[in-house]
Amino acid sequence: MSGAQAAPAQGGREGQTLRRGLSASAIKWIALFFMTLDHIAAFGFEIPIVGRYYSPLRLAGRIAAPLFLFTLVQGLRHTRSRPKFLLRLYLAGMGAGLFVAVTDLLFGEIVGYITPGNIMFTFFYVALYAWAIEGLVKAVREGNWRGALPAAVCCALPFLAQPLRLALWELPRMEDGLAVVLLAHNLIDSFLPTLTSVDYGGGMVFLGVVLYFAETKRRQCGVFAAFCLVCAAGAAAGRFYYPIQDFSSFTMTFFDPFQCWMALALPFMLLYSGQRGRGPKWFFYIYYPTHRYVISVISAAVRALS
């Protein structure tokens, strides 16, 4: 889903060891498999056999997002064109959002309204912040204050967009009809995402940026393991003091015992070979919105026949 381009394996004994693992493309296919299991449960829970295995499917699905994030980070470090990479992520997020907007408008009353988060924009902000912070640090070290200004603006961009988003969000009224309100909100989500609207919120963006600066696979796996331990500790603390999960969107999302199963992504990361592998560039972007809707259509058909 990230269009990752991993660095070629290094020479010598280390390179030979790395090549025996999983390529970035292989990890993406694994992530896609677990994502599909998760969405079968999330959008098809009304199907009897799916409802029976709802919890195991959602638990398995926790593996997907960290793996996609991991391959994204590899692509961020080795892409040939940063502007094109960033634009591709934004267009993919916009496309997924517009797909939801159109299908909700045309078939929402029949199939049901779909308003999930958009992880494409999560990845977009990971790329934006990783490169902006890197550029800002470099400019400050070199004393290039004029060069630091664009990077600083990029860092502030989501916060600058938030007031505009809130103002636009309040324009549609329920008296205009549910379809109109949802269409307006979906369009805002499609063109003006902020850290509060993306899937997994700022916590996943923060994790992705830290993984980017960790550079090596060993350090990245260490960062992810530490992140999972913090989440597990927060989830454990929440058993004794439940309001801890209500402190912020981060604690609500990641201090959830359910979300802690994302740690199962770590073995796949450790098997990363440093190779890009082969895979279709746009398939993952197209598959993301369409497979969710196909599952929703099947679920609606089962609901109508039951």
Side-chain angles (χ1 to χ4, degrees), residues 115-135:
T115 55
N118 192 336
I119 202 168
M120 294 295 184
F121 282 134
T122 308
F123 297 155
F124 167 79
Y125 275 121
V126 170
L128 180 69
Y129 269 99
W131 289 335
I133 293 173
E134 185 178 53

Side-chain angles (χ1 to χ4, degrees), residues 149-258:
L149 182 59
V153 170
C154 287
C155 290
L157 189 61
F159 304 98
L160 296 175
Q162 184 65 13
L164 176 60
R165 175 185 169 85
L166 291 176
L168 293 174
W169 192 267
E170 296 296 329
L171 290 179
R173 302 294 179 180
M174 286 305 301
E175 52 264 27
D176 299 327
L178 178 62
V180 173
V181 173
L182 285 178
L183 175 62
H185 289 176
N186 285 334
L187 290 175
I188 295 170
D189 288 341
S190 300
F191 292 98
L192 195 64
T194 62
L195 293 176
T196 60
S197 67
V198 299
D199 212 6
Y200 291 99
M204 187 65 75
V205 175
F206 170 79
L207 175 60
V209 172
V210 176
L211 289 176
Y212 176 82
F213 287 104
E215 297 187 356
T216 66
K217 182 185 76 171
R218 180 177 298 180
R219 292 177 181 174
Q220 290 167 350
C221 290
V223 165
F224 180 68
F227 186 84
C228 290
L229 286 174
V230 170
C231 294
R239 298 186 61 182
F240 302 98
Y241 184 65
Y242 183 76
I244 194 174
Q245 296 181 346
D246 297 328
F247 284 171
S248 66
S249 60
F250 175 88
T251 57
M252 185 180 299
T253 301
F254 293 100
F255 285 7
D256 185 343
F258 199 78

